[in-house]
Amino acid sequence: MENIADVVWTGPWWKNAGIRKLNICIALVLATSAINGYDSSVLNGIQIIPDWQKFFGDPSEQTRGLMVAAQTFGALVGLPIAPWLSDGFGRRKALALGSAIMCGGVILQAMSTGVSHFIASRVMVGLGLCFATNSAPLLVTELAYPTQRAPITALYNSSWYIGSIISAWTTYATLKTLSGSDWSWRIPSILQAVPSFFQVILLFFIPESPRWLVAKGRDGEAIAVLAKYHANNRERDPLVYFTYGQIREALSIERDVSKASSYASLFKTPGNRRRMRIVLAIGFFSQWSGNGLVSYYIGDVFKGVGVTDPGTVSMINGALQVWNFFVAITAALLVDKIGRRPLFLTSNTSMLVTFGMWTLATALFQTRSDRSAANAVIGIIPLFYLSYSIAYTPMLVAYTVEILPFGIRARGFALMNLTICIGITTNQFVNPIALKALEWKYYLVYLAFLAFELVYVFLFLIETKGKTLEETAAIFDGQQQIDNIANVGHDAVTQSRHRYAFQHKSNDVELSLSRHNSMVPTIVTERDDSDWRPMSADTNFSNKEQMKYNRHSPDPTW
């Protein structure tokens, strides 16, 4: 049986002009994750700067918790709206809107005059990030070339560290060169607006998701996108037939299962409940594995082992981001070779071990003032993040969007982000207070939860390696649905390789498509074979056109 491996480009991607153009477009979308990483880390970094602390009157733990969590409040406000924007107006427009809001938010943050002003700007940034980070990974996974989809989508979340690295070293540089000036913390804030500004301008030069276009009845535009970027403008290429056919079949199956998409539909079917059981869990696990201690309160963590010099803490923070980026990128490139389940199990097991070592070393320092134990913590934290970044950095977003079918992808991803927001919020509020009150004993809470995570992942996580996006999304609905989608792809490729038959009819295009037959459209035109030209991107399927698929026709015409 024909499958995706039989029709894809097998050479280096940089030697294929269409894939090169596609990956340049995707790189602009990947910048969204880097912007998110910059935003998360800039607040961590500027808290270390004495001028920031002085400007805001040495805020208490409670006030600092509110300032840090304000971005999450903005995200929570935007969460119900983000899927509606992504599904209703398209992935590109939702991303552009989010980037524009972020630009405004970071400028307000850089101009802050007090705590209230700063909190308001952080809420605005969170709202923009919510819109952008809901649509960006959907666009990446729905646009990517089939053989690159998994690693490129895994690179999306891994790109978080690009922004994090820039942020960490920017704050280190301003701390060293602008000490005594408010610009030591205002400049890192201003720089965040630059990539968002360019995104707003350039996003409309990249293609829209072909899945979204087909769902909106704009099939001609979807075919044109697939042909241009996946097949170098060859609309009759077997890969175009294969991908388009599977998209149509998957959307048809989804409509049969659920006539309307809503948040309730996320839990209506057994397959969806199995999906959400994983999606919600890994979203919460990503924030409650102990990583939030260093991500948001690195100063408090190192203070707990006697490292208090701002320059030293800032330098360690910068080096840690570089290390995390290296690990995450390596893991992202291994996703299709190793598989999702082995990566998650390895990650959770090693996190449990390294966090146990971290807890023990911190306890020894705080109870016995053992300096060697403090030094051990500094060495163990990179090992813990190595463990975390094996799976949770590259696969959190990639695994979520690939197991959710198109109809619920935006809403399911938004709900996963809600669990992340809940995890972040509790971390941001609880961590500084609990660390001060319980010291090393607070680490035992995370240690127990890490043990629970490992058992949960072992019991419920399902492997998805080696399947197309549509086949992966159907895994949770049973073998029959997977076979239906796979058979359609096979039939589409088989028929695309037949001789094209053209019949003299009228100037109008006759479209025949059927959900129960072949997913290859038959278009009969008055041109003969020698004068064949591909269907234009302006040709769209509407309710006025007759649509059917003829699986038994030996000579389909595109």
Side-chain angles (χ1 to χ4, degrees):
M1 176 183 288
E2 298 275 6
N3 59 47
I4 192 70
D6 299 315
V7 293
V8 294
W9 171 263
T10 56
W13 66 266
W14 56 87
K15 292 186 178 181
N16 185 305
I19 303 176
R20 283 201 309 270
K21 294 174 186 175
L22 177 63
N23 287 347
I24 290 171
C25 293
I26 289 176
L28 179 65
V29 185
L30 292 177
T32 307
S33 182
I35 294 169
N36 189 15
Y38 188 101
D39 180 74
S40 298
S41 295
V42 76
L43 202 56
N44 198 14
I46 63 178
Q47 284 185 84
I48 301 169
I49 298 175
D51 296 303
W52 182 88
Q53 298 172 15
K54 181 180 178 181
F55 184 86
F56 291 104
D58 291 320
S60 65
E61 282 80 7
Q62 291 82 355
T63 302
R64 259 196 315 141
L66 184 60
M67 295 170 80
V68 172
Q71 185 250 55
T72 309
F73 294 152
L76 288 171
V77 171
L79 273 175
I81 309 169
W84 176 75
L85 288 173
S86 293
D87 285 342
F89 295 93
R91 309 327 194 187
R92 286 186 311 170
K93 290 181 179 178
L95 178 52
L97 176 62
S99 297
I101 294 173
M102 273 192 288
C103 276
V106 296
I107 290 171
L108 285 176
Q109 177 178 313
M111 297 168 58
S112 292
T113 57
V115 172
S116 298
H117 189 169
F118 189 88
I119 290 173
S121 70
R122 296 298 300 162
V123 171
M124 188 172 176
V125 170
L127 179 65
L129 273 173
C130 178
F131 294 160
T133 55
N134 180 264
S135 55
L138 308 185
L139 185 57
V140 169
T141 201
E142 291 169 7
L143 267 180
Y145 194 74
T147 56
Q148 297 183 338
R149 176 184 59 79
I152 281 183
T153 310
L155 285 173
Y156 171 82
N157 215 38
S158 302
S159 300
W160 189 94
Y161 285 114
I162 296 176
S164 183
I165 291 167
I166 295 172
S167 171
W169 288 106
T170 298
T171 52
Y172 177 76
T174 57
L175 171 67
K176 289 296 185 181
T177 60
L178 296 171
S179 181
S181 167
D182 291 343
W183 290 108
S184 61
W185 64 267
R186 292 188 192 272
I187 285 177
S189 295
I190 292 171
L191 291 178
Q192 185 180 345
V194 176
S196 295
F197 175 76
F198 280 107
Q199 269 197 326
V200 173
I201 295 174
L202 298 175
L203 272 171
F204 292 97
F205 293 96
I206 71 172
E208 180 56 90
S209 159
R211 272 87 179 172
W212 183 83
L213 291 169
V214 173
K216 294 299 179 182
R218 295 160 61 178
D219 299 55
E221 293 176 53
I223 291 166
V225 169
L226 292 171
K228 180 177 180 180
Y229 294 99
H230 289 200
N232 287 303
N233 290 311
R234 294 189 300 269
E235 293 196 9
R236 291 191 295 181
D237 189 282
L239 177 58
V240 178
Y241 276 72
F242 185 98
T243 306
Y244 173 68
Q246 287 205 339
I247 292 171
R248 295 280 304 182
E249 174 70 5
L251 289 174
S252 241
I253 291 172
E254 288 180 46
R255 290 188 187 107
D256 285 351
V257 172
S258 179
K259 301 300 180 185
S261 179
S262 65
Y263 281 100
S265 63
L266 295 174
F267 303 96
K268 275 187 177 179
T269 67
N272 283 354
R273 288 192 291 272
R274 284 193 289 270
R275 292 180 180 99
M276 295 310 298
R277 178 173 64 193
I278 296 173
V279 166
L280 297 180
I282 63 174
F284 197 73
F285 293 171
S286 72
Q287 300 303 318
W288 261 82
S289 297
N291 52 303
L293 291 170
V294 175
S295 295
Y296 299 102
Y297 295 102
I298 189 169
D300 296 80
V301 170
F302 282 109
K303 189 183 295 182
V305 291
V307 181
T308 57
D309 177 61
T312 302
V313 174
S314 185
M315 186 172 61
I316 292 173
N317 184 40
L320 189 60
Q321 305 314 311
V322 175
W323 167 252
N324 292 341
F325 175 69
F326 172 78
V327 174
I329 293 297
T330 303
L333 298 177
L334 295 174
V335 164
D336 271 342
K337 295 180 180 179
I338 297 177
R340 285 66 160 164
R341 186 175 166 84
L343 285 175
F344 271 105
L345 288 173
T346 301
S347 179
N348 279 100
T349 302
S350 51
M351 275 196 295
L352 180 61
V353 173
T354 53
F355 198 85
M357 296 164 59
W358 181 357
T359 302
L360 177 61
T362 303
L364 287 173
F365 174 77
Q366 293 184 1
T367 58
R368 300 182 182 179
S369 299
D370 188 337
R371 190 65 244 173
S372 61
N375 294 334
V377 169
I378 298 173
I380 291 169
I381 287 177
L383 294 178
F384 172 79
Y385 268 92
L386 165 66
S387 307
Y388 180 89
S389 296
I390 287 172
Y392 283 91
T393 298
M395 289 307 305
L396 174 64
V397 170
Y399 189 76
T400 296
V401 296
E402 75 177 5
I403 67 174
L404 292 169
F406 179 87
I408 63 170
R409 187 168 290 143
R411 286 182 173 85
F413 186 60
L415 207 56
M416 189 271 282
N417 283 328
L418 174 62
T419 64
I420 291 177
C421 286
I422 293 171
I424 289 174
T425 303
T426 53
N427 266 326
Q428 289 168 340
F429 272 120
V430 173
N431 280 348
I433 300 171
L435 281 171
K436 185 175 182 180
L438 300 176
E439 298 182 320
W440 70 270
K441 299 181 186 68
Y442 181 53
Y443 288 40
L444 297 175
V445 176
Y446 283 111
L447 197 60
F449 198 75
L450 281 167
F452 168 75
E453 286 180 18
L454 177 59
V455 174
Y456 195 99
V457 167
F458 178 79
L459 292 176
F460 298 118
L461 201 101
I462 295 175
E463 183 56 68
T464 60
K465 185 175 71 170
K467 298 186 181 297
T468 67
L469 183 58
E470 280 65 39
E471 291 167 356
T472 299
I475 284 177
F476 295 82
D477 296 316
Q479 189 60 43
Q480 182 179 350
Q481 303 290 25
I482 300 174
D483 291 342
N484 286 346
I485 292 173
N487 288 336
V488 163
H490 164 72
D491 290 345
V493 172
T494 301
Q495 293 191 28
S496 75
R497 287 172 172 165
H498 281 278
R499 175 181 172 273
Y500 289 87
F502 292 85
Q503 303 172 14
H504 293 281
K505 291 281 185 181
S506 63
N507 289 331
D508 294 331
V509 177
E510 179 186 338
L511 297 173
S512 300
L513 304 168
S514 171
R515 145 105 172 73
H516 300 292
N517 298 316
S518 170
M519 301 307 293
V520 184
T522 299
I523 301 178
V524 184
T525 76
E526 65 175 1
R527 293 189 292 271
D528 63 23
D529 196 34
S530 62
D531 190 39
W532 184 89
R533 288 190 299 274
M535 180 175 67
S536 115
D538 295 328
T539 306
N540 293 317
F541 298 155
S542 69
N543 293 332
K544 295 181 180 179
E545 294 169 320
Q546 179 188 2
M547 301 171 67
K548 80 176 181 183
Y549 292 97
N550 185 2
R551 176 171 290 172
H552 305 292
S553 170
D555 294 312
T557 301
W558 198 306

